[in-house]
Amino acid sequence: MEQNNVLVDIQGLKKNFITAKTFTGKPLKTVHAVDNVNLRIYKGETLGVVGESGCGKSTFGRSILRLVEPTEGKIIYRGEDITSYGKEQMRQMRKQMQLIFQDPYASLNPRMTVLELIKAPLDAFHIGSNEEKIGRVRDIMELVGMPEKMMNRYPHEFSGGQRQRIVIARALVLNPDFVVCDEPVSALDVSVRAQVLNLIQELKRKKELTYLFISHDLSVVKYVSDRIAVMYLGRVMEVADKNELYNNPLHPYTQALLSAIPIPDVDCSMKRVVLSGDVPSPINPPSGCHFHTRCRYATERCRTECPALKTIGKGHQVACHLYEDKGSETT
Amino acid sequence: MSEKLIEVKELKTQFNGKNGTVTAVDGVSFSVERGKTLGIVGESGCGKSVTSMSILRLIPAVSGKVAGGEVLFEGQDLLKKTEKEMRQIRGNEIAMIFQDSMTGLNPVMTIGKQLVETITAHSKTDKKTAWKRAEEMLAKVGIPSPAQRLKEFPHQLSGGMRQRVMIAMALSCNAKLLIADEPTTALDVTIQAQILELMNELKKTENTAIILITHDMGVVAEMADDVMVMYAGKEVEYADARGIFKNPLHPYTQGLLASIPRLDQEDDKELYTIKGSVPDLDEMPKGCRFCTRCPEAAERCWNEAPGLYERDGHKVRCFKYENSLENGGK
């Protein structure tokens, strides 16, 4: 039952970037952007990924689509290992998997009209005649709430929110099943952000999509997601249902992250856990648990041994030695 | 009344646009007392940053000018000061920290040199004492091993650290007013928490007045004593923080608060949205500037600009309150 519902199964995913080499070509400095991530994305759900800058969340999203080639690990999509696919096979797969980018100012070609931009994926896969293509563009524009008369305009004529609608329309015109949203609302103003968030939710219902939603903003992630994964320096620290994660955060990092978010209310007196120091560099991440340099509960063991992601309670996984005895290891 | 450290009256700032001048800040008034924080919130382009630049007279003369109003700092009008006098005030009396700490610091000078330069420029101290003072300042803002850090360049520090240096620089001259323009927007939330805590501490120990400019309602709720909400160059609501968050009167403030996804609330219902987007400054509607997006806009709102109505210090610019509140402004 459960197996059938898994859309994407990510197993031991790693991505290293080599930033410096020796004279003989041996790697000298390696950034461990994604470090052994195991996650399952179920059909029809939104899995949120949160973390601070440099935690590897964007690289993670891109490596699932193989836009950056994973160093190690498997990505099983509908039961098939897509990491073994060739270039053309992977290209065909992209009809089913799409990406919505963060910056609607950088991701639209300024010399293409809205029609050309949204039609581009249809052209790339030679889908339908020209009239059919234009028909599909018209349909999708209506779906994302853009008037048809905007079709022949250029991106610079639109505001950030409108541009993001174009980016979303382009991603959805091929009717994908799985969409990676990489910080889709971070560049937008508060009032416009709400419009785009609602649109993303509405499209999910109408088109039965599965989302991987990446953001640094925990309140946004909580609003759109069903489950949330918290990342820190390339590793998943905690995965849980959104309400469970908010009401019962287990990992010390999640607790600090949650308490650090200012709530727009004057009566809210949340006890704040202020973390000391900065996020360490992913070039030389701390040994053992990556978080031990900033953790209040760090012990000797945390410095040497990396905790595995363990299931504690229903669907709640955490990677921390504190909860050692309470759970069983997952594969 | 003498408690007011700075009082801005009917400030008006204009820029030269393609089609004539545009008014970015249009008759904004506010005041800050010692040891208090005023939060200025609004979306991009609402004029919140221009307001702060106007106070310090940092608007480049080629692109625009402060066209009217008064900026009374300790009773003296800053707009009437000469450039030489202004130089004494910037940094010494009023310090500013910017969103992007990398552009605020000189990349080819060590942190120490920059701090010493600031200190010696504003007070008569020799280099040695200034260096000592710089070290103290860094320690005060919570930078570990300050003596070592003084010898480093800005790129060697992280974003949070650089923002601390900026604050240290602002403090090194015992500024009475600190203007913080989106000080934590470029930082991660855990680092943001550190910086906000630091600013709150300084407010208490140094009795510094703070003008905090941000788009983040959460940050405002946490930091500000008073809040001014701006929309398209005008203040639409001005009250104490409790008034704004517990009893928002203007439809824009209400919409803004309702459209933020909240961590502390169940979120199964749709987010409230303010339809449309902010009109361009040169295409502003004749009447209330919010009327194009307001769910309650009436015929009159399109043709006539509402005044600022006030009761018990809660000011709001909306015809809805014309009769229930007394007229406090123009």
Side-chain angles (χ1 to χ4, degrees), chain B residues 109-255:
Chain B
M109 266 169 95
T110 59
I111 301 292
K113 256 196 161 162
Q114 297 189 50
L115 273 166
V116 166
E117 190 185 60
T118 318
I119 295 167
T120 49
H122 292 294
S123 62
K124 286 197 168 61
T125 37
D126 60 289
K127 278 226 170 105
K128 217 171 162 189
T129 9
W131 193 272
K132 261 243 164 67
R133 190 161 160 71
E135 202 178 316
E136 282 167 26
M137 282 299 148
L138 285 196
K140 204 170 189 173
V141 295
I143 292 181
S145 51
Q148 170 62 32
R149 291 296 184 189
L150 281 176
K151 293 178 205 142
E152 292 184 352
F153 289 93
H155 74 267
Q156 291 170 290
L157 305 182
S158 65
M161 284 283 194
R162 282 202 294 266
Q163 208 57 285
R164 280 171 196 266
V165 172
M166 292 293 291
I167 295 174
M169 216 176 249
L171 291 177
S172 61
C173 308
N174 296 320
K176 292 172 191 150
L177 173 68
L178 180 66
I179 302 178
D181 190 354
E182 304 264 10
T184 57
T185 307
L187 305 174
D188 278 319
V189 274
T190 57
I191 310 296
Q192 167 171 291
Q194 294 171 1
I195 298 289
L196 293 184
E197 199 183 60
L198 173 67
M199 282 173 61
N200 259 339
E201 218 175 273
L202 293 172
K203 190 170 90 174
K204 266 184 230 141
T205 56
E206 316 281 318
N207 208 23
T208 319
I210 301 175
I211 297 180
L212 176 73
I213 296 164
T214 180
H215 67 279
D216 190 330
M217 280 294 197
V219 172
V220 172
E222 191 160 302
M223 300 285 294
D225 300 296
D226 294 315
V227 182
M228 178 165 81
V229 183
M230 284 183 75
Y231 184 82
K234 277 190 188 284
E235 77 263 57
V236 292
E237 192 161 356
Y238 185 17
D240 60 342
R242 175 158 290 274
I244 292 280
F245 286 96
K246 287 292 164 196
N247 182 26
L249 295 177
H250 200 280
Y252 178 64
T253 317
Q254 290 167 352

Side-chain angles (χ1 to χ4, degrees), chain B residues 11-12 23-28 45-48 51 230-236 278 281 284 289 317:
Chain B
L11 183 74
K12 197 170 188 173
T23 309
V25 177
D26 196 356
V28 169
C46 72
K48 54 192 193 302
T51 305
M230 284 183 75
Y231 184 82
K234 277 190 188 284
E235 77 263 57
V236 292
V278 188
L281 277 178
M284 275 301 156
R289 298 190 162 190
R317 192 181 288 282

Side-chain angles (χ1 to χ4, degrees), chain A residues 73-328:
Chain A
K74 283 181 181 171
I75 298 152
I76 317 283
Y77 183 81
R78 291 188 188 277
E80 284 195 60
D81 182 7
I82 60 167
T83 38
S84 64
Y85 277 15
K87 208 174 169 187
E88 181 54 30
Q89 224 176 345
M90 195 58 222
R91 200 178 84 88
Q92 293 299 330
M93 277 305 293
R94 297 233 165 84
K95 279 189 222 171
Q96 296 173 40
M97 326 168 87
Q98 284 287 328
L99 180 68
I100 296 172
F101 295 94
Q102 169 175 3
D103 187 352
Y105 294 87
S107 54
L108 294 173
N109 186 336
R111 301 184 65 168
M112 285 165 86
T113 61
V114 174
L115 173 66
E116 286 167 332
L117 283 163
I118 302 178
K119 195 161 71 86
L122 297 170
D123 291 337
F125 289 104
H126 307 291
I127 294 168
S129 66
N130 206 35
E131 281 79 56
E132 280 166 5
K133 284 179 197 167
I134 293 173
R136 280 181 78 161
V137 170
R138 204 171 279 145
D139 293 344
I140 199 83
M141 278 180 75
E142 195 193 322
L143 199 64
V144 300
M146 281 194 79
E148 199 188 311
K149 60 172 196 249
M150 306 281 188
M151 219 179 225
N152 292 315
R153 296 212 191 162
Y154 288 90
H156 75 264
E157 297 175 66
F158 296 96
S159 63
Q162 292 283 52
R163 282 177 202 226
Q164 202 57 301
R165 284 175 203 269
I166 303 172
V167 174
I168 293 170
R170 182 176 62 179
L172 297 186
V173 73
L174 288 169
N175 283 323
D177 299 319
F178 176 58
V179 180
V180 175
C181 310
D182 189 359
E183 304 257 16
V185 294
S186 304
L188 306 175
D189 262 321
V190 186
S191 69
V192 179
R193 200 171 66 176
Q195 295 170 5
V196 174
L197 281 178
N198 280 344
L199 174 69
I200 287 175
Q201 291 290 67
E202 185 192 321
L203 290 170
K204 183 191 163 189
R205 281 194 301 275
K206 280 189 182 159
K207 304 210 104 185
E208 294 170 359
L209 299 168
T210 303
Y211 284 137
L212 180 75
F213 192 98
I214 299 165
S215 178
H216 69 280
D217 189 333
L218 204 47
S219 9
V220 168
V221 167
K222 179 167 176 269
Y223 175 68
V224 297
S225 307
D226 301 305
R227 287 192 307 141
I228 299 176
V230 180
M231 278 183 84
Y232 186 77
L233 279 179
R235 288 185 188 155
V236 173
M237 292 292 174
E238 188 163 2
V239 187
D241 176 79
K242 65 169 172 187
N243 290 321
E244 167 77 10
L245 189 88
Y246 178 68
N247 295 322
N248 182 24
L250 293 177
H251 200 285
Y253 177 62
T254 316
Q255 291 167 358
L257 195 64
L258 277 170
S259 78
I261 294 163
I263 304 283
D265 196 335
V266 275
D267 283 339
C268 189
S269 55
M270 202 195 233
K271 216 171 75 203
R272 172 156 293 175
V273 189
V274 174
L275 290 178
S276 57
D278 289 312
V279 184
S281 154
I283 293 176
N284 283 310
S287 59
C289 173
H290 281 351
F291 186 58
H292 83 249
T293 52
R294 300 170 82 195
C295 183
R296 294 187 292 167
Y297 309 105
T299 60
E300 195 47 47
R301 188 172 171 209
C302 302
R303 285 180 193 99
T304 50
E305 198 185 320
C306 167
L309 197 63
K310 286 177 182 172
T311 304
I312 306 217
K314 194 169 172 287
H316 197 150
Q317 294 172 292
V318 61
C320 182
H321 289 312
L322 283 176
Y323 305 96
E324 188 82 312
D325 314 324
K326 292 171 194 153
S328 58

Side-chain angles (χ1 to χ4, degrees), chain B residues 41-95:
Chain B
V41 274
E43 298 178 90
S44 35
C46 72
K48 54 192 193 302
S49 290
V50 175
T51 305
S52 64
M53 306 267 279
S54 307
I55 294 174
L56 280 177
R57 299 241 315 262
L58 291 172
I59 306 286
V62 280
S63 54
K65 63 172 191 299
V66 179
E70 284 176 87
V71 180
L72 299 174
F73 182 77
E74 295 188 310
Q76 293 180 315
D77 191 355
L78 294 188
L79 299 178
K80 294 201 180 88
K81 297 263 182 210
T82 63
E83 186 53 35
K84 204 174 162 196
E85 287 169 320
M86 263 328 275
R87 279 188 68 112
Q88 279 307 309
I89 288 166
R90 293 187 200 123
N92 241 353
E93 309 278 330
I94 307 176

